[in-house]
Amino acid sequence: ICDPLYYIARMSRKHCAGLITAAFTVGFADPYSIIVLISKLSYCASHLINHFFCDITPLLKLSCSSTFSVELFIYIEGTLLTVNSFLLTLTSYIFIISAILKIQSSEGRQKAFSTCASHLACVITLYMTVICLYMRPTTSYSLKIDKYFSLLYIALGP
């Protein structure tokens, strides 16, 4: 991003294929493992989910069995995937901002910052809502607040 003319030289087909494969592998394996863990829970109360969509936390609240293993998996996964990818994205933005600061003209700097700032706002909104929704115990779950966070997550970002 900082050196767009060198992109083709730095990103080979093999490197690109590896990144695509890793993204698809994690993208399919991650939900599958959560589905397997949630399918082992028993539900004795109402099967009606009072939410915009079938989300993990409302499902955990409906369960009458122990949800410890699912919650532990979500925390471990959240730490490994969400927090690390957020830090990686933030690190890349530090490099982008330092490259923007090296632009000589103030008009060019302002144009680059306006493009970067809107994207950074979307990225921060996405990551913060995901962290607030999934990286906390179900005991602090509030249906009303989670609906607002979910609305931010599914509507504001796109």
Side-chain angles (χ1 to χ4, degrees), residues 7-146:
Y7 184 78
I8 294 173
R10 291 182 180 164
M11 181 63 81
S12 66
R13 284 192 178 273
K14 185 178 179 181
H15 190 88
C16 187
L19 288 173
I20 291 170
T21 304
F24 272 94
T25 302
V26 171
F28 284 115
D30 173 52
Y32 178 75
S33 51
I34 290 176
I35 289 170
V36 167
L37 287 172
I38 287 178
S39 68
K40 293 181 180 181
L41 298 175
S42 51
Y43 300 94
C44 20
S46 170
H47 296 292
L48 181 66
I49 299 173
N50 185 8
H51 209 274
F52 296 123
F53 56 92
C54 185
D55 202 10
I56 296 170
T57 312
L59 276 175
L60 294 179
K61 290 303 276 186
L62 285 176
S63 175
C64 56
S65 56
S66 174
T67 59
F68 177 76
S69 60
V70 181
E71 288 184 58
L72 181 65
F73 180 80
I74 290 170
Y75 297 138
I76 291 170
E77 163 197 64
T79 303
L80 294 176
L81 296 178
T82 308
V83 174
N84 285 332
S85 64
F86 176 67
L87 292 175
L88 183 65
T89 304
L90 214 55
T91 303
S92 71
Y93 269 102
I94 290 169
F95 285 113
I96 292 168
I97 290 170
S98 67
I100 290 173
L101 290 174
K102 292 176 186 173
I103 296 174
Q104 298 298 324
S105 71
S106 62
E107 185 179 304
R109 234 187 338 243
Q110 183 181 7
K111 198 173 192 180
F113 265 127
S114 68
T115 304
C116 184
S118 62
H119 187 262
L120 185 60
C122 284
V123 167
I124 288 174
T125 302
L126 171 78
Y127 278 114
M128 288 302 116
T129 53
V130 166
I131 289 170
C132 289
L133 275 171
Y134 302 114
M135 296 296 294
R136 63 190 166 98
T138 54
T139 54
S140 65
Y141 172 75
S142 166
L143 180 64
K144 188 176 182 179
I145 293 173
D146 276 19

